[in-house]
Each structure stands twice: as C-alpha cells, then as structure tokens.
Amino acid sequence: MEIVGEKWSLLVLREAYFGIRRFDDFHRALGCARNLLSGRLAKLVEHGVLERVLYQEAGHRGRYEYHLTDKGYDLEPALVALMQWGDRWTADADGPPVVMRHNDCGAPVHAVLSCENGHHAVAPQDTRPMPGPGARRIA
C-alpha cells in the first residue's frame, strides 16, 4: 500500500490502464496539482510500476511517456476489484461510468477470488488468512 495506496497513485494507474501515457494527458484527466502528479509518477517509476520511455515529436525536444511495466499490469485485478466495489456501492442510477470488457467476446470482466485447486468465485467468508513462508514472529 505504500507504493500504490495513495488516492492519486491509484488514479494515475487507472488512467494508465485506460491508455494515457503523457504527463499533460494525466494532468488533464486527473486535474490534480502538477507537482503532486509529478511526485506520484516518480514514485511509481521508482518502484518499477511504470517506466519512463523517451519520445520526440518532430521539431520538439525529447519528452517522456509513462508505460505500465509487468509489475504495473499485475495490479489490474486489484484495480478491477476496486472498480467493482465502487460500481456496486457508489454508482449512480445510470450505472457505472466505465465497464471493463473482454476483447475477444465483449463480455464484462470481473475480478473473482479462486483457489489453486480450481474453485472459482470463492466468497470472502470462505477464506482465512494463514501465516505464509515470509511470516515473522512478533516479539
């Protein structure tokens, strides 16, 4: 959560998933202060969620775009789950502002819990946290 848990970081990632790449386009879409946006982009780059890619339009100096990395793309299920939550609990009567659709068939996409044994649509109440291999004893 330290890397992506801030409001503006999640919004930057959402816009990156929607195809925004350039600073001015992020700024226009989000409407946040430029220094705040710059800081969030820098943090996401520092942690390998986004990468800066140089581009240059004819007659202009080189500038950077921000591209999702594999690490960034791995956050998509979490963002879809947050969108689903917002759509269920905060969308207005007209419905959600954005629907994620599968490219192949056009059906809506949903984040779903599943287990390694192939059980899909596992309900949260059917799960429990257990210490993992990286768990440390609290003294």
PDB file of all heavy atoms in Angstrom, residues 25-40:
ATOM      1  N   ASP A  25      -1.504  14.696 -20.439  1.00  0.00           N
ATOM      2  CA  ASP A  25      -2.765  13.962 -20.536  1.00  0.00           C
ATOM      3  C   ASP A  25      -3.210  13.455 -19.165  1.00  0.00           C
ATOM      4  O   ASP A  25      -4.400  13.498 -18.836  1.00  0.00           O
ATOM      5  CB  ASP A  25      -2.641  12.809 -21.529  1.00  0.00           C
ATOM      6  CG  ASP A  25      -2.409  13.297 -22.950  1.00  0.00           C
ATOM      7  OD1 ASP A  25      -2.844  14.427 -23.278  1.00  0.00           O
ATOM      8  OD2 ASP A  25      -1.777  12.554 -23.731  1.00  0.00           O
ATOM      9  N   PHE A  26      -2.250  12.976 -18.355  1.00  0.00           N
ATOM     10  CA  PHE A  26      -2.581  12.602 -16.970  1.00  0.00           C
ATOM     11  C   PHE A  26      -3.121  13.822 -16.231  1.00  0.00           C
ATOM     12  O   PHE A  26      -4.132  13.742 -15.545  1.00  0.00           O
ATOM     13  CB  PHE A  26      -1.345  12.081 -16.223  1.00  0.00           C
ATOM     14  CG  PHE A  26      -0.987  10.653 -16.510  1.00  0.00           C
ATOM     15  CD1 PHE A  26       0.177  10.349 -17.203  1.00  0.00           C
ATOM     16  CD2 PHE A  26      -1.785   9.612 -16.071  1.00  0.00           C
ATOM     17  CE1 PHE A  26       0.533   9.028 -17.454  1.00  0.00           C
ATOM     18  CE2 PHE A  26      -1.442   8.287 -16.308  1.00  0.00           C
ATOM     19  CZ  PHE A  26      -0.282   7.998 -17.011  1.00  0.00           C
ATOM     20  N   HIS A  27      -2.435  14.948 -16.378  1.00  0.00           N
ATOM     21  CA  HIS A  27      -2.833  16.168 -15.682  1.00  0.00           C
ATOM     22  C   HIS A  27      -4.239  16.596 -16.091  1.00  0.00           C
ATOM     23  O   HIS A  27      -5.077  16.932 -15.248  1.00  0.00           O
ATOM     24  CB  HIS A  27      -1.814  17.279 -15.954  1.00  0.00           C
ATOM     25  CG  HIS A  27      -2.098  18.522 -15.190  1.00  0.00           C
ATOM     26  ND1 HIS A  27      -2.595  19.652 -15.790  1.00  0.00           N
ATOM     27  CD2 HIS A  27      -1.978  18.796 -13.867  1.00  0.00           C
ATOM     28  CE1 HIS A  27      -2.762  20.580 -14.872  1.00  0.00           C
ATOM     29  NE2 HIS A  27      -2.402  20.087 -13.701  1.00  0.00           N
ATOM     30  N   ARG A  28      -4.518  16.563 -17.353  1.00  0.00           N
ATOM     31  CA  ARG A  28      -5.830  16.955 -17.864  1.00  0.00           C
ATOM     32  C   ARG A  28      -6.922  16.006 -17.341  1.00  0.00           C
ATOM     33  O   ARG A  28      -7.996  16.429 -16.935  1.00  0.00           O
ATOM     34  CB  ARG A  28      -5.811  16.967 -19.390  1.00  0.00           C
ATOM     35  CG  ARG A  28      -6.939  17.687 -20.049  1.00  0.00           C
ATOM     36  CD  ARG A  28      -6.776  17.871 -21.571  1.00  0.00           C
ATOM     37  NE  ARG A  28      -5.735  17.129 -22.265  1.00  0.00           N
ATOM     38  CZ  ARG A  28      -4.488  17.583 -22.502  1.00  0.00           C
ATOM     39  NH1 ARG A  28      -4.134  18.790 -22.102  1.00  0.00           N
ATOM     40  NH2 ARG A  28      -3.612  16.841 -23.161  1.00  0.00           N
ATOM     41  N   ALA A  29      -6.637  14.704 -17.343  1.00  0.00           N
ATOM     42  CA  ALA A  29      -7.633  13.709 -16.917  1.00  0.00           C
ATOM     43  C   ALA A  29      -7.889  13.764 -15.415  1.00  0.00           C
ATOM     44  O   ALA A  29      -9.025  13.572 -14.970  1.00  0.00           O
ATOM     45  CB  ALA A  29      -7.166  12.307 -17.310  1.00  0.00           C
ATOM     46  N   LEU A  30      -6.845  14.032 -14.637  1.00  0.00           N
ATOM     47  CA  LEU A  30      -6.970  13.958 -13.180  1.00  0.00           C
ATOM     48  C   LEU A  30      -7.256  15.305 -12.526  1.00  0.00           C
ATOM     49  O   LEU A  30      -7.893  15.360 -11.479  1.00  0.00           O
ATOM     50  CB  LEU A  30      -5.697  13.354 -12.580  1.00  0.00           C
ATOM     51  CG  LEU A  30      -5.394  11.923 -13.023  1.00  0.00           C
ATOM     52  CD1 LEU A  30      -4.046  11.482 -12.489  1.00  0.00           C
ATOM     53  CD2 LEU A  30      -6.504  10.981 -12.578  1.00  0.00           C
ATOM     54  N   GLY A  31      -6.715  16.374 -13.096  1.00  0.00           N
ATOM     55  CA  GLY A  31      -6.955  17.690 -12.530  1.00  0.00           C
ATOM     56  C   GLY A  31      -6.242  17.960 -11.219  1.00  0.00           C
ATOM     57  O   GLY A  31      -6.608  18.887 -10.506  1.00  0.00           O
ATOM     58  N   CYS A  32      -5.240  17.184 -10.883  1.00  0.00           N
ATOM     59  CA  CYS A  32      -4.501  17.421  -9.640  1.00  0.00           C
ATOM     60  C   CYS A  32      -3.357  18.404  -9.904  1.00  0.00           C
ATOM     61  O   CYS A  32      -3.034  18.714 -11.051  1.00  0.00           O
ATOM     62  CB  CYS A  32      -3.967  16.117  -9.073  1.00  0.00           C
ATOM     63  SG  CYS A  32      -2.739  15.285 -10.096  1.00  0.00           S
ATOM     64  N   ALA A  33      -2.752  18.885  -8.842  1.00  0.00           N
ATOM     65  CA  ALA A  33      -1.627  19.805  -8.969  1.00  0.00           C
ATOM     66  C   ALA A  33      -0.479  19.115  -9.710  1.00  0.00           C
ATOM     67  O   ALA A  33      -0.224  17.921  -9.524  1.00  0.00           O
ATOM     68  CB  ALA A  33      -1.169  20.258  -7.593  1.00  0.00           C
ATOM     69  N   ARG A  34       0.219  19.874 -10.536  1.00  0.00           N
ATOM     70  CA  ARG A  34       1.306  19.317 -11.346  1.00  0.00           C
ATOM     71  C   ARG A  34       2.408  18.713 -10.470  1.00  0.00           C
ATOM     72  O   ARG A  34       2.939  17.653 -10.786  1.00  0.00           O
ATOM     73  CB  ARG A  34       1.869  20.379 -12.282  1.00  0.00           C
ATOM     74  CG  ARG A  34       0.850  20.830 -13.345  1.00  0.00           C
ATOM     75  CD  ARG A  34       1.393  21.933 -14.243  1.00  0.00           C
ATOM     76  NE  ARG A  34       2.301  21.427 -15.260  1.00  0.00           N
ATOM     77  CZ  ARG A  34       1.921  20.837 -16.392  1.00  0.00           C
ATOM     78  NH1 ARG A  34       0.638  20.675 -16.649  1.00  0.00           N
ATOM     79  NH2 ARG A  34       2.802  20.424 -17.261  1.00  0.00           N
ATOM     80  N   ASN A  35       2.754  19.381  -9.366  1.00  0.00           N
ATOM     81  CA  ASN A  35       3.816  18.857  -8.512  1.00  0.00           C
ATOM     82  C   ASN A  35       3.386  17.548  -7.840  1.00  0.00           C
ATOM     83  O   ASN A  35       4.193  16.639  -7.669  1.00  0.00           O
ATOM     84  CB  ASN A  35       4.260  19.893  -7.477  1.00  0.00           C
ATOM     85  CG  ASN A  35       3.165  20.278  -6.504  1.00  0.00           C
ATOM     86  OD1 ASN A  35       1.976  20.262  -6.847  1.00  0.00           O
ATOM     87  ND2 ASN A  35       3.554  20.651  -5.306  1.00  0.00           N
ATOM     88  N   LEU A  36       2.109  17.438  -7.493  1.00  0.00           N
ATOM     89  CA  LEU A  36       1.605  16.212  -6.902  1.00  0.00           C
ATOM     90  C   LEU A  36       1.660  15.077  -7.926  1.00  0.00           C
ATOM     91  O   LEU A  36       2.133  13.978  -7.627  1.00  0.00           O
ATOM     92  CB  LEU A  36       0.169  16.435  -6.419  1.00  0.00           C
ATOM     93  CG  LEU A  36      -0.405  15.334  -5.556  1.00  0.00           C
ATOM     94  CD1 LEU A  36      -1.228  15.942  -4.442  1.00  0.00           C
ATOM     95  CD2 LEU A  36      -1.227  14.388  -6.381  1.00  0.00           C
ATOM     96  N   LEU A  37       1.217  15.344  -9.144  1.00  0.00           N
ATOM     97  CA  LEU A  37       1.255  14.349 -10.212  1.00  0.00           C
ATOM     98  C   LEU A  37       2.686  13.929 -10.500  1.00  0.00           C
ATOM     99  O   LEU A  37       2.981  12.735 -10.626  1.00  0.00           O
ATOM    100  CB  LEU A  37       0.599  14.902 -11.478  1.00  0.00           C
ATOM    101  CG  LEU A  37       0.660  14.013 -12.722  1.00  0.00           C
ATOM    102  CD1 LEU A  37       0.026  12.656 -12.470  1.00  0.00           C
ATOM    103  CD2 LEU A  37      -0.002  14.720 -13.899  1.00  0.00           C
ATOM    104  N   SER A  38       3.587  14.891 -10.571  1.00  0.00           N
ATOM    105  CA  SER A  38       4.998  14.589 -10.817  1.00  0.00           C
ATOM    106  C   SER A  38       5.549  13.654  -9.747  1.00  0.00           C
ATOM    107  O   SER A  38       6.258  12.693 -10.040  1.00  0.00           O
ATOM    108  CB  SER A  38       5.791  15.891 -10.873  1.00  0.00           C
ATOM    109  OG  SER A  38       7.144  15.623 -11.116  1.00  0.00           O
ATOM    110  N   GLY A  39       5.198  13.929  -8.500  1.00  0.00           N
ATOM    111  CA  GLY A  39       5.664  13.086  -7.398  1.00  0.00           C
ATOM    112  C   GLY A  39       5.114  11.675  -7.471  1.00  0.00           C
ATOM    113  O   GLY A  39       5.835  10.704  -7.233  1.00  0.00           O
ATOM    114  N   ARG A  40       3.836  11.549  -7.810  1.00  0.00           N
ATOM    115  CA  ARG A  40       3.228  10.209  -7.894  1.00  0.00           C
ATOM    116  C   ARG A  40       3.827   9.422  -9.057  1.00  0.00           C
ATOM    117  O   ARG A  40       4.110   8.231  -8.925  1.00  0.00           O
ATOM    118  CB  ARG A  40       1.717  10.300  -8.060  1.00  0.00           C
ATOM    119  CG  ARG A  40       0.973  10.877  -6.875  1.00  0.00           C
ATOM    120  CD  ARG A  40       1.305  10.162  -5.571  1.00  0.00           C
ATOM    121  NE  ARG A  40       0.552  10.674  -4.461  1.00  0.00           N
ATOM    122  CZ  ARG A  40       0.944  11.678  -3.677  1.00  0.00           C
ATOM    123  NH1 ARG A  40       2.091  12.278  -3.895  1.00  0.00           N
ATOM    124  NH2 ARG A  40       0.195  12.071  -2.667  1.00  0.00           N
TER     125      ARG A  40
END
